[in-house]
Amino acid sequence: MKIPRFSFMEKSSQMAVLVVTLSLVTFGIVMIYSSSSILAMDRYGDEYFFLKKQLFFAVVGVLLMFVLSNLKYENLRKAAYAGIIISIIFLVLILIPPIGVKRGGATRWLQLGFATFQVTEFVKIAMIVFLAHFLAKVATHIKDFKKGILIPLVVVAVVGGLVLLQPDFGTALIIAAIFMGMLYLAGARIPHLSMMTVPLLAGAVVMVMMKPYRLQRWLAFLDPWKDAKNTGFQIIQSWISFGSGGPFGVGLGDGMQKLFYLPEPHTDFILSVVAEEAGFIGVAVVIVLFILLVFQGFVIAFRAADLFGTLLAGGLTMLIALEASINISAVVGLIPTKGLALPFMSYGGSSLVMSLAAVGILLSIQADRSKVRGNF
Amino acid sequence: MTRKSKKWLRFRVITLLVFFVVFFLLLITRAFQLQIVAGKALKGLAQKQHMKALPLVPERGLILDRNGEKLAASVLMDSVYADPSKIADQERCAQQLAVLLGEDAKTIRSKLSNSKYFCWLSRQVLPDLAQKVRGAKIEGVYLVKEPKRFYPNRELAGPLIGFVGRDAEGLEGVELKYDQYLKCQSDKMVWARDAKGKRLYLKESLVSEKPDKGYNIWLTIDSRIQYLVESHLKEAIKRTGAKGGMAIVMDPRTGAILALVSEPGFNPNTFFRGRNEVMKNKAIADCFDPGSIFKPFVAAAALEEGVVKETDTFYCENGAYHIANRTIHEAQRKKYGHLTLREVIKYSSNIGSVKVSQRLTKEKFCHYIRGFGFGAKTGIDLPGEISGLLRPYERWTNVDAATIAFGQGVSVTAIQLITAMSAIANGGVLMKPYIVRAITDPNGNAVGEHKPATVRRVISASTAKRMISILTDVVGADDGTGKRARLTDVTVAGKTGTSQKFDFSTGRYSSARVRTSFLGFLPAEDARAAILVTLDEPQRDKWGGVAAAPVFKSISEQILRCYDSRPGEGQMMIEEKEEQLQDRGLRLIAAEAAAVPAVTSAEMSSEEALIPDFTGMTLKKALEVSRQRGIELKVIGSGWAVSQEPAPGTTLLENPACTVRFSTGH
């Protein structure tokens, strides 16, 4: 199958991904400054505290993105097993107190001395690379549960289990969802997929029952007004941000909700600040940017040179799409708050660097397609 | 890979793509619903939590007498407050403040620790104390100007004017009755605040644009008359050893009250809530048996009904008249034989009055008493008026009817008596008494005016004239009981009275505890002033003609002298023309520009010689204040005054100038 294409179209499509990504990162940095300056002043006496850190990681992330986009993505296949083993080691390491850093009741960060690193951000990408590689390899046996699905299932279960130990329920869910999505892409049988959802759902229910705060979050989501001062506080404050922004917003920097009304305005609730200061227009622009990026991502998957490329691009795109949609769903109150960052925009070095790395890999897959034309 | 499997792979990619795009579109819809559809309601919630309003004590309007004399004004005083969040060492600060303010350090300590960003330390302090606090420059302790109610004439008309509470709300008297006019829409400072409750900046747009001052109330009271009535009454109370007393001067033609005194009074400057008995205005809120001053109304009723003539004689039973099981005596156990109607009033014969009243049916008798306004509120515009006690005539026994004829067994208020007597004085019309003649806005424009109101005609003009003649005799005749109220060149009409107080312990009327009164008007033939004087339980000179009549006389004399008025020119003292009022309104503003302390004590004027504190003022207000003080103002910036040079409290130089920096707080 040959589709005639012009080089500049490839180039412009690559540019589109780049422009969308950098737009999100730039807007994110502006909003991080707007939402965190007072908090930073309050906590560290430096209004640029978060801005400076995020700028640094943005530079690191963009560099990494360019490096990865210029590498042949096929090389990642060689690192697939190493990546998943390193992931598991990391996940185990952070459970050991001095190495793992505990914040807000969860151990998610690896102490690097000069900085901390959120391990799961790396784990998600390593897992996608591993799954893409493995599923591409066993593509012919994908319909066979034992030969095709069992090994990745075990790996994902181990990784997911370790993530749950942190505990990080949201990331575990994302890992599970990406696994299912990639199996679906690789052509796994629907009955197998459905079979796996049953223990997953059961597990989820058990997890919710085990930790009372999860139940509370859930109840708060169902009727936040019932306990507006405590459990429902976050979501109500987020709604107030959205409503107070109206169609055009109160103006960048002029929002009130970041003044300790919104919890973590520069991380999980950054879109609420966007909603207040830039209004519905701002929120719509952000979501449309994500749609464009996800669209481009799936187009890259669609046109990838080989199955590994398709699975890898699909997995990475799903990662961005899932993270974005879960975060947005949470801030608009469609699902309980998950503690997940909005990719590219939320404050957080690990998340930003790894999201940009994911885009770098996508660009590499796209670039490769333009070289190996028509050869699927 | 087969072509078919490739096709399926692409199909699966597209399904995932569609799934996510649809999901994102759903999220946009949700944002639309939150921001556009439910936006208004959520924005309301946002404003509710973002804004914090601090009401400012409003500056009340003035209370002025009929000539524009200030009876109640507001003076800006410093109040001390603290922002505990800015105080590092609260213990030391409390110690320091305790010395400065002369208060308990522990109380201050608890005030500081009980609030986060704002607490009052001392409200409305004296200027020199404010100066000391300002000089101490304690971190986190500030001063703010608050208007304090000030009554320049102290006790003068205290119970009448009433007083206000700490937050300038009217609590008694005119201050209470006209509170809605005197108070102004209290300004609010609206602050944006963060979730921790910290105030951030002033929300300019939300400060109300209402006038800074309430309306001014112009009373019918003439403070000169009020003053002389008060001093004469006080003097009489002292001389006779009375418990207290009341005096009212009314213009009988309009019902306007020229003076209203209730002794003992109080100084509203230093008055605090809680002492109910003292703070009520007894002239309207206390009732008593009127005694002989009630007799003219009985006579008037009989004359009006045509059942008696002045020359009719009544046998006064030689001082002992039996009705049912009761024997009625004359006052001071006097004994009279036959008396004409004139003489009954002139000598104040109880038995004669009873016989006069007996010519009327109980129903007619009661009809006239009610007609003169007894047993019902007069409707004067003061709070707390009572209606007295007049039982329905159906339940009167013959004894009841008889005693009422000489003012026993009926309970009336002082305001009812003066209003009823005014009805005789003005030719038979009962007027509604009033105390406020006009309300003006701060610019002197009339907002409301009180026109004299007629309640009803009680007796005909000719009956009134006949009564006036009888009452003139009481004072004018050498053997009249009221001869001590006589004036040299003006005819006075009036009636004395001494009522025994009902002693609840013995169940009888006591002759030891009495109320001595004089009720009259002048000039008799064309009355301009009706005056009631009553002394409560005088120890000496118990008889009305002896104790109360001279007070009436000296008050009358001085009223006449005060206005330098011959009878014909009484006009001038009562009537006010519309343009005069306007004129005074304008003058009032001019007077205000010269600063309020003109009427206050020395400490106030010393305050005037200092650079005022501009901080917190709007540009407009600062300009106004500087103009008042004659200070040249240099303005930098806009918004609210944040700093100034020289500092507040600096002594004014010859050509005072002050540089004030303004900021909107952003």
Side-chain angles (χ1 to χ4, degrees), chain B residues 317-557:
Chain B
E317 311 276 349
N318 279 321
Y321 183 31
H322 302 279
I323 298 177
N325 55 350
R326 171 111 188 247
T327 309
I328 289 164
H329 299 283
E330 299 291 1
Q332 295 170 295
R333 300 278 159 177
K334 283 194 176 133
K335 295 187 174 94
Y336 299 112
H338 289 275
L339 293 179
T340 63
L341 175 65
R342 271 182 176 278
E343 287 165 334
V344 165
I345 300 297
K346 188 163 79 178
Y347 303 139
S348 194
S349 163
N350 290 348
I351 295 164
S353 294
V354 174
K355 295 238 167 146
V356 173
S357 74
Q358 281 169 345
R359 299 252 178 121
L360 294 160
T361 61
K362 283 177 194 162
E363 188 185 348
K364 276 284 170 212
F365 186 22
C366 186
H367 167 77
Y368 280 96
I369 296 174
R370 288 202 182 279
F372 275 110
F374 297 106
K377 290 178 185 174
T378 61
I380 188 169
D381 44 348
L382 281 173
E385 191 188 4
I386 58 164
S387 54
L389 188 66
L390 177 64
R391 278 171 296 161
Y393 68 89
E394 295 92 338
R395 280 164 46 197
W396 289 0
T397 63
N398 288 337
V399 176
D400 288 338
T403 58
I404 288 170
F406 55 93
Q408 222 175 56
V410 57
S411 218
V412 304
T413 62
I415 194 73
Q416 285 171 343
L417 283 170
I418 192 88
T419 311
M421 187 53 106
S422 291
I424 292 176
N426 67 19
V429 179
L430 190 75
M431 301 301 294
K432 186 172 163 184
Y434 66 98
I435 199 89
V436 169
R437 51 189 273 268
I439 301 171
T440 59
D441 69 12
N443 299 323
N445 304 314
V447 178
E449 205 189 337
H450 206 136
K451 291 256 164 44
T454 305
V455 178
R456 68 180 81 87
R457 175 165 282 282
V458 194
I459 50 174
S460 69
S462 64
T463 307
K465 210 166 175 190
R466 287 157 78 188
M467 269 317 296
I468 292 169
S469 155
I470 294 170
L471 292 171
T472 308
D473 240 21
V474 174
V475 180
D478 286 332
D479 55 350
T481 42
K483 62 174 186 275
R484 281 186 175 82
R486 201 184 303 159
L487 298 177
T488 43
D489 39 0
V490 179
T491 48
V492 173
K495 181 73 193 79
T496 61
T498 296
S499 56
Q500 297 167 316
K501 282 194 163 181
F502 191 79
D503 188 336
F504 288 93
S505 57
T506 60
R508 296 175 55 173
Y509 281 92
S510 152
S511 48
R513 293 168 54 234
V514 297
R515 177 180 290 277
T516 298
S517 317
F518 190 91
L519 178 59
F521 50 90
L522 75 155
E525 57 279 8
D526 183 19
R528 297 288 190 251
I531 305 171
L532 168 71
V533 176
T534 164
L535 295 167
D536 193 10
E537 295 185 24
Q539 300 306 302
R540 285 175 292 282
D541 304 336
K542 289 183 185 171
W543 301 100
V546 185
V551 183
F552 176 95
K553 182 184 167 181
S554 30
I555 289 171
S556 310
E557 273 174 348

Side-chain angles (χ1 to χ4, degrees), chain B residues 87-140:
Chain B
I87 299 172
D89 186 349
Q90 293 201 352
E91 193 57 55
R92 227 195 76 212
C93 178
Q95 295 287 352
Q96 211 177 340
L97 284 167
V99 177
L100 270 175
L101 303 174
E103 275 174 40
D104 185 28
K106 239 169 106 185
T107 330
I108 295 174
R109 182 80 178 81
S110 74
K111 274 184 193 169
L112 291 178
S113 53
N114 281 340
S115 52
K116 248 180 146 175
Y117 296 103
F118 180 89
C119 68
W120 287 118
L121 293 174
S122 189
R123 302 280 294 270
Q124 296 155 357
V125 299
L126 292 173
D128 56 335
L129 180 58
Q131 197 58 35
K132 269 197 262 173
V133 173
R134 202 175 283 124
K137 287 203 169 83
I138 306 170
E139 188 68 30

